[in-house]
Amino acid sequence: SEDRLLEYHITLFGKNERLLLIRDCTKMQRLERMRQDFVANVSHELRTPLTVLSGYLETFSDYAEELPTQWQRGLTLMSEQSARMEHLVSELLTLSRLETSDFKAQASPIDVAALLEKVRLDALALSDNQHKITLDIDQRLYIHGCLNELRSAFSNLVFNAVKYTPAGSTVELHWYQKHDGAYLEVKDNGPGIDSKHLGFLTQRFYRVDASRSSQTGGTGLGLAIVKHVMLRHQGRLDIRSDAQQGSCFSCYFPLTQVLERSEE
Ligand code: ADP
C-alpha cells in the first residue's frame, strides 16, 4: 500500500547471482515521527511557562539589593537555570523545525560574507573581546539556502570555538570555493578534541566533558543542529581535531547550492 516505506538492497554474487533484500521500515518511520512530534509538543508547551518565570525573575532582580544575601544568591541561581532551560528549549525547537519544515519554501540567495561578519561580531561580544577572530572570505560567493538555519549553524561553530578555547586564542574563518563546491572552515588553536570523541560529536546531547559544558551553558545539541542544517543544504560537516593544533569544523556546500554574484 502507499503508506508503507520499503528499503531495497541488491547485492551481486559472482556473475549471475543477485540477492534482493526488502526491508519494511514503516514501523520505524512511524516511531520516528512520534518521537519528533513528542519533542516538538513538549518544547512548545515548555516555552510559555518559562517565559513567565524568566520575566518575573528579571523583575525581581531589579530589587535584588533589597533582599537578604541568601535570597540574592537563590535569585541568581534561578535566573541562570531558567536561562539555561530557555536555551535548551529553543535548541530543541530549532532541531524539530529542521526535521519537519519545508526547506524549499525558505531558501533564497544568502550573502554568506555579510552573515559571517555578523556572527563574528556576536562571537566577539560573547568572548568579551578576549579572542582574535580573523576573516578570510570570498565576498562574491553566495549560497542558495535558508538564512535562519545558516545563522544558527555558523553561530554554533564560531561560539563553540570561543567557548572551548582559552582567552587569547585565535579563531580563523575561511570561506572559499573549490572545484567541487564551497567551504566554510572554522579553525581554532585551542585544546582540541580527543579523536575518540570525534565520531559522536554530532549526536544529540553528546558532550565531551559534561561538567565543563554545564559551566559554559552547553546543551550538547549545537553540533547536531549544524549537521542537520548541512544535510538540508545537501552538504556535510567534517570535523578534524588534534591536541597540538586545535580543531577545524568544515562545512561543505555542493555546487548545486553555490551562487556567484557577478561583479557590479
Ligand atoms: P554544547 O552545547 O555542549 O556546546 P555542541 O554539540 O555544540 O554542544 O558540542 C559538543 C561538544 O563538542 C562540546 O560539549 C565540546 O566538548 C566539544 N566542542 C565543540 N566545539 C569545540 C571546539 N571548538 N574545541 C573543543 N571542543 C569543542
Side-chain angles (χ1 to χ4, degrees), residues 194-207:
D194 195 318
S195 59
K196 69 175 188 243
H197 297 289
L198 293 183
F200 303 102
L201 290 177
T202 56
Q203 282 179 8
R204 284 154 210 247
F205 299 110
Y206 191 87
R207 289 174 296 175

Side-chain angles (χ1 to χ4, degrees), residues 137-240:
I137 42 183
D138 181 342
Q139 299 278 351
R140 293 192 306 128
L141 191 53
Y142 278 43
I143 279 290
H144 181 69
C146 172
L147 182 61
N148 285 337
E149 292 181 16
L150 292 173
R151 185 187 295 128
S152 166
F154 297 169
S155 303
N156 264 309
L157 294 179
V158 184
F159 290 5
N160 274 353
V162 162
K163 278 187 330 193
Y164 296 109
T165 60
S169 304
T170 301
V171 179
E172 294 172 24
L173 308 182
H174 301 275
W175 172 236
Y176 59 92
Q177 184 165 9
K178 277 199 344 197
H179 64 281
D180 58 343
Y183 290 81
L184 169 69
E185 281 181 359
V186 180
K187 267 185 187 176
D188 67 58
N189 62 351
I193 305 164
D194 195 318
S195 59
K196 69 175 188 243
H197 297 289
L198 293 183
F200 303 102
L201 290 177
T202 56
Q203 282 179 8
R204 284 154 210 247
F205 299 110
Y206 191 87
R207 289 174 296 175
V208 172
D209 178 351
S211 59
R212 201 174 130 52
S213 294
S214 63
Q215 287 162 26
T216 53
T219 59
L221 292 174
L223 293 175
I225 291 175
V226 181
K227 179 183 158 186
H228 264 77
V229 170
M230 291 315 297
L231 287 178
R232 274 163 68 88
H233 286 77
Q234 317 296 326
R236 59 166 198 272
L237 169 70
D238 295 315
I239 308 172
R240 297 188 302 275

Side-chain angles (χ1 to χ4, degrees), residues 10-165:
I10 300 177
T11 314
L12 296 177
F13 281 107
K15 235 181 173 185
N16 299 317
E17 287 168 50
R18 310 269 184 281
L19 174 70
L20 171 63
L21 277 177
I22 304 176
R23 199 153 77 119
D24 186 347
C25 305
T26 317
K27 201 169 164 197
M28 259 162 52
Q29 194 197 28
R30 226 174 270 153
L31 284 172
E32 175 60 13
R33 199 159 294 150
M34 273 169 68
R35 182 195 64 75
Q36 288 175 3
D37 288 348
F38 177 75
V39 175
N41 290 340
V42 170
S43 319
H44 264 292
E45 292 303 322
L46 284 173
R47 213 156 55 150
T48 318
L50 268 174
T51 310
V52 176
L53 282 176
S54 57
Y56 274 103
L57 282 169
E58 210 171 298
T59 313
F60 291 156
S61 302
D62 292 342
Y63 302 97
E65 280 167 17
E66 294 164 30
L67 295 171
T69 326
Q70 225 175 325
W71 286 34
Q72 283 182 20
R73 213 179 111 63
L75 195 58
T76 310
L77 277 177
M78 282 195 284
S79 301
E80 279 169 10
Q81 293 304 322
S82 93
R84 243 187 108 189
M85 258 164 88
E86 275 187 312
H87 181 55
L88 174 64
V89 166
S90 129
E91 295 217 311
L92 281 171
L93 279 171
T94 304
L95 262 177
S96 295
R97 269 186 228 116
L98 289 175
E99 284 168 341
T100 52
S101 71
D102 178 12
F103 177 78
K104 276 198 189 127
Q106 299 169 41
S108 62
I110 305 296
D111 180 351
V112 175
L115 176 58
L116 287 174
E117 184 55 58
K118 279 193 200 123
V119 171
R120 175 179 175 272
L121 292 178
D122 290 344
L124 281 174
L126 178 77
S127 99
D128 235 348
N129 278 315
Q130 298 292 304
H131 287 71
K132 191 171 163 211
I133 307 181
T134 64
L135 281 178
D136 155 33
I137 42 183
D138 181 342
Q139 299 278 351
R140 293 192 306 128
L141 191 53
Y142 278 43
I143 279 290
H144 181 69
C146 172
L147 182 61
N148 285 337
E149 292 181 16
L150 292 173
R151 185 187 295 128
S152 166
F154 297 169
S155 303
N156 264 309
L157 294 179
V158 184
F159 290 5
N160 274 353
V162 162
K163 278 187 330 193
Y164 296 109
T165 60

